[in-house]
Amino acid sequence: MGRVLLAKPRGYCAGVDRAVVTVEKALELYGSPVYVRKQIVHNLHVVTTLEAKGAIFVDETDEVPEGATVVFSAHGVAPTVHEEASARQLRTIDATCPLVSKVHSEARRFAREDYDILLIGHEGHEEVVGTTGQAPDRIHLVDGPEDAAGVNVRDPERVAFLSQTTLSVDETMTTVHALRERFPHLQGPPNSDICYATQNRQVAVKEIAEKVDLLIVVGSRNSSNSVRLVEVALDAGVPASYLVDDSTEVDAGWLDGVETVGVTSGASVPEELVTGVMAWLAERGFADVEEVTSAEEHLLFALPPELRRDLRAHERETAAS
């Protein structure tokens, strides 16, 4: 009989929960279709489920019919996207995670104060694109510590750094250290940009790392925080770690010689997908499950204000009739 250590916290964070509920409520309130720019969160199953309910996912705002409703994803957008939506007279609902909005605010502040901003993140990731758009003339992307040597700024004494919210905490600190060696006056945000959920899930993986022979991370391949969990596991000494969308992607060969399996999931993963992996493992003799808790999460975010306003108006109309 094998053993399973189930990491907690895992799965949905407050920002993802808010974004998914935003699309569901918008569909209930306005009816189908509701358009969503980019994947609302980086999870294949979430996107497929919302499509079945009437959501239509598009890459750019100009794919949305004029006057329609569009939801902006949890990863955030550049100001130019809001302008494009306004020009097409779209009803917009901004589901940007509040922790990403915090980074946007920091970018605008540093730009107003005439700093060059070094944004630590992965090129092409939607969050990085949205943050860069807050101050495109001031932001330089730094994709890991090896990029630090090539950064050129106007004034080495007026440099600040920000980061994508879903990075590895350890690698980000290594990058900051490399930047600080080049720019001793480097400024940073008052608090870490890496979100609480990303940090907590990485800590939870480290907590079980020495006790497992294999770690299965449930999450999609375009989910930055899920990919980081695999990397964190391997860096922490787990002999093998794999990323799977669901139980159909788990390989029975991974269990050869394995006594203890660790299981966790990224911040955009519904718990039912973890349950499916646990059932798959139980069928193969890994039925002894212990949940290992490294932190408790109680944070909730209110729905976007424009959606709350319309929901209240609908409730008043319903009550009056």
Side-chain angles (χ1 to χ4, degrees), residues 83-105:
E83 292 163 13
E84 291 163 7
S86 177
R88 295 180 66 77
Q89 297 181 309
L90 303 180
R91 174 197 277 135
T92 59
I93 303 171
D94 191 352
T96 300
C97 173
L99 299 179
V100 174
S101 296
K102 175 180 86 77
V103 181
H104 289 184
S105 175

Side-chain angles (χ1 to χ4, degrees), residues 4-17:
V4 179
L5 296 185
L6 183 59
K8 184 182 177 184
R10 64 183 177 277
Y12 271 15
C13 62
V16 164
D17 187 58

Side-chain angles (χ1 to χ4, degrees), residues 16 25 63 72 111 215 220 243 272 319:
V16 164
K25 292 287 187 187
E63 298 172 55
F72 296 143
L215 181 82
S220 293
L243 182 65
E272 67 199 65

Side-chain angles (χ1 to χ4, degrees), residues 148-166:
V151 176
N152 293 310
V153 299
R154 295 167 302 150
D155 180 354
E157 296 197 356
R158 294 194 73 76
V159 185
F161 79 88
L162 299 172
S163 82
Q164 185 179 327
T165 63
T166 53

Side-chain angles (χ1 to χ4, degrees), residues 48-91:
T48 304
T49 301
L50 291 173
E51 281 178 332
K53 293 180 178 180
I56 297 176
F57 290 86
V58 298
D59 278 331
E60 296 301 339
T61 316
D62 61 13
E63 298 172 55
V64 181
E66 290 203 9
T69 299
V70 62
V71 179
F72 296 143
S73 81
H75 308 105
V77 298
T80 52
V81 175
H82 285 280
E83 292 163 13
E84 291 163 7
S86 177
R88 295 180 66 77
Q89 297 181 309
L90 303 180
R91 174 197 277 135

Side-chain angles (χ1 to χ4, degrees), residues 276-321:
V277 169
M278 300 298 289
W280 186 95
L281 288 168
E283 289 169 5
R284 287 154 183 82
F286 288 81
D288 177 13
V289 178
E290 178 188 346
E291 189 170 58
V292 180
T293 304
S294 59
E296 295 287 350
E297 293 180 349
H298 304 290
L299 184 63
L300 291 172
F301 291 135
L303 292 172
E306 56 270 42
L307 181 58
R308 278 184 282 142
R309 179 196 63 219
D310 288 355
L311 284 168
R312 282 196 300 268
H314 178 70
E315 286 166 6
R316 283 196 297 270
E317 288 170 13
T318 303
S321 61

Side-chain angles (χ1 to χ4, degrees), residues 225-265:
N225 78 88
S226 298
V227 173
R228 299 292 84 73
L229 290 174
V230 173
E231 295 172 354
V232 167
L234 295 173
D235 287 346
V238 177
S241 182
Y242 300 98
L243 182 65
V244 300
D245 255 305
D246 54 39
S247 62
T248 65
E249 296 185 354
V250 185
D251 186 336
W254 298 344
L255 300 177
D256 291 347
V258 167
E259 294 182 3
T260 305
V261 178
V263 176
T264 189
S265 60

Side-chain angles (χ1 to χ4, degrees), residues 8-9 195-205 294-297:
K8 184 182 177 184
C195 92
Y196 77 96
T198 296
Q199 294 186 51
N200 286 349
R201 280 147 192 72
Q202 290 175 16
V203 169
V205 164
S294 59
E296 295 287 350
E297 293 180 349

